């Protein structure tokens, strides 16, 4: 891992005293045991360092605390549920500001299809709150039991329903942000249309805490689909998967809500490693599988549509075989294969991972050419490329050959493999971070790969909103 | 109108010579007759002034021209189809840069559902280009035969399909922008997911040309709905309309593509003023009408869904009466009522206009309270409030009482009426410019109404990207 970030800041004793008084005993944590959860990376890739953890209980307290930090020139790293993947929320000497105590549900407005919550609400909680109103909050991802709304917005989270509902950015109507100087920007609006000057909220979405602290958000609620139908389909190649996607979109009028591709090797990993999993279609061994979920607004006729689509796909030899989940249990079992794949892969050995995207149409060529480049470096590598084909987003991971330790593999080939894969991604106008963000892990690579004019703009934006460089400094970009 | 903007800039003769050479005879226009179309407001609200019109033929030429302007410190006003409503694209001494010759269709990628076009492509043309691929470009508005893509992005255009498909912002995947110093930022990406640092394109969308010149864009294509069903429904009040909207969204799973409210007085205006219009349902006189369009992905069962919905709406007394368009012609006739309403209203006399939004749930209270405030000022005013209820966006217009000239009315009551309406909008957390933008017309009012912290942020962004204040200066904000 390339976390080359270091930071030292001198914390004035007087600042500590004032911070402790302001935050109170529950809000000020500085014993190593209590700090550990906040300072360790869940993937075990190192620990952060902080003089203390600030856990303000309200937005006003966040504001007062940030003003205090401004007074003493103290840098701050905001943190939500600490489920990030690029080490963006681990402090390196900054004060860690946890949003976990910002827990108010401020407003639910069913007729406006909007809900306003504070940053510390957990995604799974929000899904439940919204379900009680007979609405859907569509964001869904592995860490949803721990990830907080503030962090999910700061990282513009993706997940498994982006194809139909978009990224977190597409679900945000308004934000409340505490600026580096402590002032509160009230950009909480439930409006669908507002063309009054620059859309400032967009800057904070995906900024990974480098411009301000998101304290609350107004989010969209969606109609709940009447029925979701999950199928597990065999395709000969990624190219066939992309053809299937186009067919499915056309036949259902855009109702495809998830479209995930997995190679046989990935399915085998899961079946070997994960308890209580079973092959959804043991009779058909295929090099690739598609998990397709379609969300229908009405139950009537839905099954006919899906069956018609699959018939067409079989006739035109896009799909070779497949099963349609006949029950919730079976749908759950199919989803389990996809959702435990990252964990199964982890058990097999640490892979050299890439979270990349290309235009959907380029995806088959990307996989083919990336494989060729990888095999040219490590002929017998285990390539597991899987993910959100519907969004052009693949998790393209390269595991060591059998018998090679992952550490050794990483040390010997990690940098070379990543350069080869990312070079190809950039040649194809893709992204080296489709959904995980930049953090510290990809900061230096980003700086190398973006154009001068783009880097100048990024720095100008950072300086404009955080002129003292106290908000999560050296994440995303260094100025 | 409140266009208090003035600007003088000294144009060096040498700059003129160099600009003329660079742009060539077709690209450099300075005779009054040829300049007239570019310099007059289509609503007849005054004329702009410019030393000449620059019509660069390519992005490279835009870049060279902007670099030349930078060298001589010359300010520039970009203009698309000149169909704006807030005088944002009329120059006041700046050089006018027209994007009309940037006409290339750079790429169509059906498997990625994306299309890349240059800024001068007209919306109606784009709709056709995309239709040939059996896809939909959903943006649709009155000026679509003239408005250009670059301008539509710069103003984050709305229109009649926002409810289902979003504003222009939601349809943009990537941008190419020439910066004030002439450098080209290539942010053209067809990616659905890209979490590499701040999403810079968001700044240019809706910036009204104040940060750079948009020269090309990659836009989303959508599946074409199999069938659109239009109905014309009688409701007793705006509150019933909002109830109907919630019911329709739930029953169709979010398939409502347009939901427009009109008062009887507006319908009467149209029937009186516009040729070839007829009352869609002459037997039922109602205080309010809803035009509801539902876009179904499949033909089968669509009519049943709509009829089921309408039955429920009648049973629960949300809707009192209505007709369902039985043919394309009938659908066209119903839409014509809505689309010609602004023109009919114009024929009746210039109204004091407001393009406002509030949360959908607040819309009935807004109309009621706004009416009360207006009648308190002008007891017999003719209020025509109509628009995109589904987006919480009303065009709330106040026409003079019978026998009063519009100029007289405007002079006597214009400022007072607007203040009363906008005060209420702000009390309700609404927007004083839902879709038309700020331009010069609402600039000073915006400055008065936004918080200090927000104005500081807006100015910081402007200074960050246009430090010399040469991009459409004094539009949106003054720095």
């Amino acid at each position: 891992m390339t976390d080359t970030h270091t930071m030292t800041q001198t914390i004035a004793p007087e600042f500590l005293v004032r911070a402790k008084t302001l935050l109170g005993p529950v809000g000020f944590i500085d014993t190593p045991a209590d700090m550990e959860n906040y300072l360790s990376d869940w993937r075990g890739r190192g620990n952060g360092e902080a003089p203390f953890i600030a856990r303000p209980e309200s937005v006003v307290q966040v504001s007062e605390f940030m003003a205090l930090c401004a007074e003493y020139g103290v840098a701050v790293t905001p943190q939500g549920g600490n489920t990030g993947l690029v080490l963006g929320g681990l402090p390196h000497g900054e004060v860690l500001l946890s949003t976990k105590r910002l827990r108010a549900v401020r407003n639910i407005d069913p007729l406006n299809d909007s809900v306003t919550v504070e940053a510390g609400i957990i995604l799974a909680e929000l899904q439940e709150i919204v379900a009680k109103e007979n609405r859907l909050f569509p964001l869904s991802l592995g860490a949803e039991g721990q990830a907080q709304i503030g962090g999910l917005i700061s990282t513009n989270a993706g997940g498994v329903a982006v194809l139909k509902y978009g990224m977190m950015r597409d679900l945000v109507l308004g934000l409340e942000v505490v600026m580096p100087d402590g002032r509160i920007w009230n950009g909480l609006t439930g409006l669908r249309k507002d063309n009054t000057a620059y859309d400032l909220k967009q800057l904070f979405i995906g900024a990974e805490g480098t411009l301000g602290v998101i304290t609350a958000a107004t989010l969209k609620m969606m109609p709940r689909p009447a029925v979701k139908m999950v199928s597990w389909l065999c395709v000969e190649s990624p190219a066939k998967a992309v053809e299937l996607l186009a067919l499915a979109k056309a036949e259902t009028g855009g109702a495809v809500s998830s479209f995930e591709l997995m190679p046989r090797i990935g399915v085998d990993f899961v079946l070997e490693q994960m308890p209580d999993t079973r092959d959804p279609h043991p009779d058909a061994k295929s090099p690739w599988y598609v998990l397709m979920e379609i969300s229908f607004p009405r139950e009537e006729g839905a099954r006919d549509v899906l069956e018609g689509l699959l018939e067409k796909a079989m006739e035109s030899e896009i799909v070779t075989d497949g099963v349609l989940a006949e029950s919730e249990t079976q749908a759950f079992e199919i989803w389990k294969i996809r959702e435990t794949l990252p964990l199964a892969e982890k058990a097999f050995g640490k892979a050299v991972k890439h979270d990349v995207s290309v235009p959907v149409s380029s995806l088959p060529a990307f996989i083919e050419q990336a494989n060729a480049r990888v095999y040219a470096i490590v002929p017998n590598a285990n390539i597991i490329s899987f993910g959100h084909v519907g969004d052009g987003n693949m998790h393209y991971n390269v595991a060591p050959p059998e018998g090679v330790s992952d550490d050794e593999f990483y040390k010997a080939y990690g940098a070379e493999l990543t350069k080869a894969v990312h070079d190809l991604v950039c040649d194809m106008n893709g992204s080296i971070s489709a959904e995980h963000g930049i953090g510290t892990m990809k900061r230096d690579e980003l700086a190398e790969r973006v154009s001068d004019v783009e880097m100048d703009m990024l720095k100008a934006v950072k300086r404009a909103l955080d002129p003292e460089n106290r908000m999560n400094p050296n994440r995303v970009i260094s100025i």
Side-chain angles (χ1 to χ4, degrees), chain A:
Chain A
M1 303 295 142
T2 53
D3 184 359
T4 57
H5 177 66
T6 52
M7 185 200 178
T8 46
Q9 68 173 336
T10 318
I11 302 286
E14 191 188 61
F15 168 75
L16 281 182
V17 172
R18 288 181 63 185
K20 203 165 182 170
T21 308
L22 171 64
L23 296 162
V26 183
F28 184 97
I29 292 178
D30 62 352
T31 63
D34 292 336
M35 285 167 61
E36 195 189 331
N37 273 346
Y38 297 90
L39 297 182
S40 57
D41 173 58
W42 69 275
R43 272 201 174 159
R45 297 165 303 176
N47 289 304
E49 259 178 76
F52 63 93
I53 315 290
R55 306 196 311 179
E57 65 179 1
S58 67
V59 175
V60 170
Q61 209 171 65
V62 175
S63 165
E64 290 166 349
F65 179 68
M66 288 304 299
L68 187 67
C69 292
E71 195 181 328
Y72 289 86
V74 170
V76 173
T77 293
Q79 187 187 84
N82 194 17
T83 63
L85 290 159
V86 290
L87 304 173
L90 284 191
H92 295 261
E94 299 89 353
V95 171
L96 191 150
L97 190 162
S98 167
T99 52
K100 77 179 289 182
R101 291 174 75 209
L102 304 175
R103 302 268 309 147
V105 178
R106 296 222 196 135
N107 180 42
I108 303 177
D109 186 346
L111 285 179
N112 194 50
D113 279 325
S114 64
V115 56
T116 302
V117 297
E118 293 190 348
I121 295 288
I122 287 165
L123 176 53
E125 292 173 332
L126 181 67
Q127 291 166 345
E128 273 177 43
I129 290 165
V130 168
K132 279 188 195 140
E133 302 294 327
N134 195 30
R135 301 290 195 281
L136 174 74
F137 188 72
L139 195 79
S140 176
L141 39 76
E144 65 195 25
Q146 190 177 345
Q148 296 173 15
I149 295 304
L152 291 161
I153 296 172
S154 291
T155 54
N156 186 28
V160 294
V162 173
L163 182 56
K164 184 171 163 64
Y165 298 103
M167 308 275 283
M168 189 51 143
R169 184 182 302 280
D170 300 299
L171 304 173
V172 176
L173 291 169
L175 290 181
E176 178 188 78
V177 178
V178 175
M179 297 305 294
D181 64 6
R183 288 193 292 176
I184 301 170
W185 173 56
N186 181 358
L188 286 178
T189 154
L191 303 178
R192 253 63 189 180
K193 278 182 166 175
D194 180 15
N195 270 346
T196 47
Y198 315 137
D199 192 359
L200 294 170
K201 70 172 177 288
Q202 303 291 350
L203 288 173
F204 301 99
I205 301 169
E208 304 184 31
T210 60
L211 301 177
V213 184
I214 295 173
T215 49
T218 302
L219 300 161
K220 292 181 191 169
M221 302 196 294
M222 302 287 186
R224 287 170 75 86
V227 56
K228 286 185 190 181
M229 289 191 178
V230 174
S231 52
W232 175 258
L233 306 170
C234 304
V235 293
E236 282 298 314
S237 65
K240 293 287 182 189
V242 169
E243 276 183 66
L244 175 62
L245 175 66
L247 182 69
K249 277 183 177 179
E251 292 287 310
T252 66
V256 185
S257 47
S258 293
F259 195 94
E260 303 284 317
L261 183 68
M262 279 159 289
R264 181 72 220 176
I265 184 178
V267 177
D268 285 338
F269 277 179
V270 170
L271 298 175
E272 277 165 40
Q273 301 287 338
M274 306 309 292
D276 303 323
T277 52
R278 61 176 203 88
D279 193 334
H281 194 20
D283 303 338
K285 301 287 180 203
S286 171
W288 296 91
Y289 299 87
V290 167
L291 185 168
M292 180 169 73
E293 183 187 86
I294 305 187
S295 295
F296 292 96
R298 314 261 315 166
E299 194 131 14
E300 295 84 352
R303 184 148 188 132
D304 295 345
V305 173
L306 184 55
E307 284 176 356
L309 159 64
L310 294 182
E311 207 171 295
K312 264 196 188 173
M314 301 275 283
E315 265 169 25
S316 46
E317 296 183 351
I318 296 173
V319 162
T320 58
D321 205 338
V323 291
L324 212 165
E326 298 290 341
S327 65
E328 294 261 331
T329 313
Q330 214 182 338
F332 178 83
E333 281 178 359
I334 291 175
W335 263 116
K336 194 170 180 186
I337 303 280
R338 168 62 186 89
E339 283 183 343
T340 57
L341 181 47
L343 292 172
E345 189 197 32
K346 195 177 169 188
F348 188 83
K350 256 188 288 185
V352 183
K353 290 175 193 291
H354 310 92
D355 165 40
V356 300
S357 64
V358 292
V360 175
S361 49
S362 304
L363 214 125
F366 165 74
I367 293 175
E368 198 176 314
Q369 292 173 39
N371 289 358
R373 290 188 187 196
V374 166
Y375 290 136
I377 298 168
V378 187
N380 48 354
N382 280 309
I383 299 173
I384 314 113
S385 55
F386 64 97
H388 320 295
V389 167
D391 319 314
N393 176 199
M394 292 301 276
H395 299 303
Y396 186 90
N397 299 342
V398 186
E402 273 197 68
V404 178
S405 92
D406 47 15
D407 278 346
E408 203 179 301
F409 179 67
Y410 199 95
K411 213 180 278 177
Y413 300 109
E416 194 182 353
L417 287 169
T418 295
K419 185 173 184 315
V421 172
H422 285 182
D423 280 352
L424 178 63
V425 165
C426 292
D427 288 349
M428 289 182 152
N429 290 316
S431 170
I432 62 164
S433 187
E435 59 175 11
H436 297 167
I438 298 298
T440 51
M441 276 177 57
K442 294 188 182 174
R443 180 198 57 214
D444 296 341
E445 187 176 352
L446 179 76
E448 280 166 30
R449 290 189 184 270
V450 300
S451 64
D452 289 349
V453 59
E454 182 156 330
M455 184 49 81
D456 287 351
M457 285 161 65
L458 293 172
K459 287 183 177 176
V461 166
K462 168 74 173 171
R463 288 195 190 103
L465 298 188
D466 179 25
E468 295 169 356
N469 194 22
R470 288 188 300 100
M471 288 307 310
N472 216 9
N474 293 311
R475 275 71 168 190
V476 186
I477 53 168
S478 292
I479 59 167

